[in-house]
């Protein structure tokens, strides 16, 4: 075993405050979960990463841990082989899925291999970068751009969580068009974003469309996107997009299923985007074989199998004239940094990326919250990921995790606290 | 400028003896050309590579040289951007192409950008590996296999070149079935290959098929391939494959054009392979859109745009259930080593690779000729490519180049010396 061999894996689940953001599945709970990965080598180096923190993911990570034993940080091919042997797709129970399967590909049991590979790959790339004295983006082929644009990710929201003893978040209520314009203004003032994405599929569609029109008027010139998360029927999708004529950069997951998206695509000029019906290479092939009703794939290295796999996704998209954008979940700065390295290394990724980052106020990296300029993040130029763990913060966030009691995300159950009749059945509208 | 910045490019054209191998375009000339690339950094490190050595390639390399100035060896993305600005596809004259366009994708002017990027990329990966103290395969994600299998690449051939004062090569004449069995035996004895590829399209098809049948009988159990290089009509292709029932691992480029291949595919059970009609990502997309008449792509990092691009090709093939094998041209050990790193890093590349290596007896790397064991090459584990230039050999091979008078490959013109009526028109049979 060389001195660079991996000897220890530490997985620390954390929790941080999350506002009451509405989505098609229900509403965000007061705490969001992540897991912090640390890989330590015989020579004492530590590579870090951030991934999903739900119970199911923690179990799969534990199951996968033996794959790392004695591995060189460079040897991702062996990691893949070992994980394939350890994680049979069918061996994963679906009990962790609840009814949110289609909403969050990161929760699919079928993604376990890709998710765990990604969780370890990024930490190994962090180690590689330390060994090579090169930033991760250089290990991926160098930076096609020196900074990466993100978009303002707006949510309809309540002013406060139900039954919550803590102080409400500073964003206030976001339900009416003026409130959503105010939300956007606040976010753009703080981050400088140059494009806007509106999470929809939660209020009556006309109300959501009215909000988008108000945003278009208030922020003329900024590209706009709307994402009903497959909660609109094909008919509703077509009726709404007609009202949004000329306003949309892309139309994200209006209707459920690739077949539903294809129906929408046939009658709609706006390009369709997805993070729900093209979530792996097989589904991408299926989309191409259907004549590419989905024109833009929202990548996410956390469940597409890592940074290198997402680069390859970029090549597949380029080969078949598909656009590439980037999806996000609630996350902190390690994920955001990995997303930034990746987006910089994929020239074909030409859209501003999604990020939930403004909705969090915590950080787990030294130096605290990452700073955006003009809606962009600079690509780190220091070795590895270029961020280090703040161990005090990690401890505090882990204590949150122990205390909060949440072990798997349940937006549906949370919504039922507000409205016991809420079923979550899709499409709702 | 950092101490690792690239400050010098040296391109040294070389020539080495090549036997009178017959192919669809004509016959190999007595000398084959390559170019040796050296990239030197401010700190004195040298990264090496081997690429095409014809006049057209040397001109494009000269035109591309400014792209390297001050570049970090890690910064392949900037290299790509700069080369795109320097090498407009349309700006390249086609005068270097002669009539061999379809035979050798490496000669296509449309491939200039991909060829030059690859020529520099591999040398930059060699530098990266030296900086990171990691073999190139690790920079590509680690070795999925510790050794790479190659196939015995048989050619019909004459005993000696026409009008050649030098001694004939040791392989003797290869025209009849027994002579081809003897050629295979000699090659397998020396290299241990476990599969056989027969270059065809040059003698009457029945004679070539008889040779393949003799090989099947003499080497029962070894996978066999035949490559008529698009020199058979669709009818001939189908007539011949019927006679080869049950003998072929794959059927490489029997008939010209993707449409011709599709016609063959419709009536033939053996999977079709190509290095002629799927030679870039656009053609690959076209193949998929046609329902994938070509089932196996023969990659070649020299014209597919480098090692990383070929890895991405692997992912595209995997996504669309296409197989992946590897093509070769006359080459020496630097190319062979790069091919080995690459093949090791692409799990999806499951076929033994082509190589012309047994047809050469020269070497330009320290330590001389690379050694095969059981038809396989071990993947280097030392930093970078793991081979170094033998400067005396380089000088000698460059003197060959200066002396031999050949500046662009012309198999057609060479064949006309034997047969002035030879036209090279395809398909010939």
């Amino acid at each position: 075993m060389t001195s660079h061999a991996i000897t220890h894996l530490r997985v620390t689940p954390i929790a941080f405050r999350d506002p009451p953001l509405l989505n098609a599945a229900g509403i965000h709970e007061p705490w969001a979960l992540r897991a912090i990965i640390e890989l330590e080598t015989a020579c004492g180096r530590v590579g870090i990463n951030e991934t999903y923190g739900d119970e199911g993911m923690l179990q799969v990570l534990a199951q996968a841990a033996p794959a790392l034993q004695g591995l060189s940080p460079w040897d991702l091919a062996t990691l893949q082989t070992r994980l394939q042997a350890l994680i049979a797709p069918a061996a994963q129970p679906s009990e962790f899925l609840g009814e949110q399967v289609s909403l969050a590909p990161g929760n699919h049991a079928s993604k376990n291999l890709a998710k765990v590979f990604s969780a370890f790959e990024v930490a190994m790339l962090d180690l590689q970068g330390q060994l090579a004295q090169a930033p991760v983006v250089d290990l991926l082929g160098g930076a096609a751009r020196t900074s990466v644009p993100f978009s303002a990710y707006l949510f309809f929201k309540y002013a406060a969580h139900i039954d919550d003893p803590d102080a409400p978040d500073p964003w206030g209520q976001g339900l009416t068009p003026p409130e959503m314009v105010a939300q956007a203004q606040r976010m753009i003032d703080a981050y400088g974003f140059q494009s806007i994405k509106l999470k929809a599929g939660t209020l009556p569609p006309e109300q959501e469309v009215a909000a988008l029109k108000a945003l278009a008027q208030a922020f003329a010139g900024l590209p706009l996107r709307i994402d009903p998360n497959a909660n609109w029927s094909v008919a509703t999708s077509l009726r709404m997009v007609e009202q949004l004529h000329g306003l949309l950069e892309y139309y994200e997951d209006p209707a459920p299923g690739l077949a539903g998206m294809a129906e929408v695509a046939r009658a709609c000029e706006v390009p369709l985007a997805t993070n729900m019906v093209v979530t792996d290479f097989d589904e991408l092939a299926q989309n191409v074989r259907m004549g590419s009703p989905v024109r833009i794939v929202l990548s996410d290295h956390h469940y597409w199998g890592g940074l290198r796999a997402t680069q390859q996704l970029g090549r597949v998209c380029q080969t078949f004239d598909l656009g590439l954008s980037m999806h996000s979940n609630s996350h902190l700065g390690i994920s955001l940094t990995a997303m930034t390295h990746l987006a910089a290394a994929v020239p074909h990724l030409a859209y501003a990326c999604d990020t939930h980052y403004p909705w969090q106020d915590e950080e787990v990296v030294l130096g605290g919250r990452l700073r955006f300029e003009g809606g962009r993040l600079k690509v780190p130029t220091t070795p590895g990921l270029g961020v280090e763990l703040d161990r005090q913060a990690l401890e505090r966030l882990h204590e949150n995790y122990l205390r909060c009691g949440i072990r798997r995300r349940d937006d549906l159950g949370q919504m039922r606290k507000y409205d016991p009749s809420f079923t979550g059945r899709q499409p709702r509208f």
Side-chain angles (χ1 to χ4, degrees), chain A residues 14 57 69 93 132 147 165 173-174 178 188 206 211 223 253 283 338 351 372 391-392 396 399 415:
Chain A
I14 61 172
M57 184 67 178
Q69 200 54 49
S147 68
Q173 176 175 288
I188 287 171
E206 290 74 11
D253 286 313
E283 291 174 350
Y351 293 96
F372 290 71
R391 299 206 166 267
Q392 286 191 327
R396 187 181 69 249
E399 279 163 17
M415 187 50 125

Side-chain angles (χ1 to χ4, degrees), chain A residues 3 12-13 25 34 56 89 92 111 117 120 159-160 192 196 207 230 237 272 280 297 312 324 374 376 401:
Chain A
S3 64
T12 310
R34 297 293 272 178
Q92 287 311 308
K111 301 279 188 287
F117 182 84
F120 294 161
I196 294 173
Q207 189 173 340
S237 299
L272 299 190
D280 59 31
V297 176
Q312 296 177 342
L324 188 67
R376 307 176 75 97
Y401 173 81

